[in-house]
Amino acid sequence: MLATMSSELQKICKNLGAYDMNEQLKDMFWDQAQTERFKLMQSILGCKKPEGSFVSIHVLKLKGYFDRIQCLSFPFTQEFVFDVILNSFTSAYKQFTMNGLEKSIMELHGMLKKTNENIVPPRNTSSATHVLTIREGGIKKMR
């Protein structure tokens, strides 16, 4: 354990056994971990998917928050994670529920993307859209 620590921590812990070293580190970093946990909870509970933003970015952002908070030994049930994720979406997604389903966050992510395709109409690709192509050293504008 000592080899993975900074030189300052090595000096503090060099004469301690593994259990005492672990307890010393907990005491030293407990306040910092609690502050980070609180900030992560604020981010999780305050996170709402902005209208028009991508489902993938939003779900992966929340997944990252939950992964980080789990590293702080603050786990959540899968149901709670799903409830928070689903609650962060607009009312258009409210018909989407996970009742009784045993899915991973990535499976939920895929299901939300599919639901998003039914909610959000495809972008307008009118004839006014311009496409540039490169042909034999020149650029040609196509409509």
Side-chain angles (χ1 to χ4, degrees), residues 36-120:
E36 184 176 353
R37 182 199 53 81
F38 180 74
K39 288 180 180 178
L40 283 168
M41 282 301 297
Q42 285 181 314
S43 297
I44 288 169
L45 297 176
C47 192
K48 298 289 183 194
K49 180 187 169 296
E51 194 68 39
S53 67
F54 293 103
V55 169
S56 291
I57 292 171
H58 180 70
V59 171
L60 294 176
K61 178 180 179 179
L62 276 168
K63 183 182 180 319
Y65 289 151
F66 280 111
D67 289 347
R68 284 179 39 211
I69 208 164
Q70 187 175 4
C71 289
L72 295 171
S73 298
F74 200 79
F76 294 103
T77 64
Q78 186 91 348
E79 292 83 10
F80 179 79
V81 172
F82 284 3
D83 289 347
V84 169
I85 291 173
L86 292 174
N87 190 58
S88 71
F89 281 83
T90 62
S91 60
Y93 293 83
K94 293 304 179 198
Q95 83 280 357
F96 191 96
T97 62
M98 294 298 293
N99 294 336
L101 296 177
E102 294 295 325
K103 302 284 183 191
S104 70
I105 291 177
M106 296 317 290
E107 288 171 313
L108 171 65
H109 173 233
M111 294 167 75
L112 284 166
K113 282 176 60 176
K114 189 149 216 66
T115 301
N116 184 64
E117 292 169 5
N118 297 329
I119 293 172
V120 179

Side-chain angles (χ1 to χ4, degrees), residues 25-38:
L25 292 171
K26 279 183 190 177
D27 290 343
M28 291 173 65
F29 295 106
W30 178 253
D31 289 341
Q32 181 181 348
Q34 292 301 329
T35 300
E36 184 176 353
R37 182 199 53 81
F38 180 74

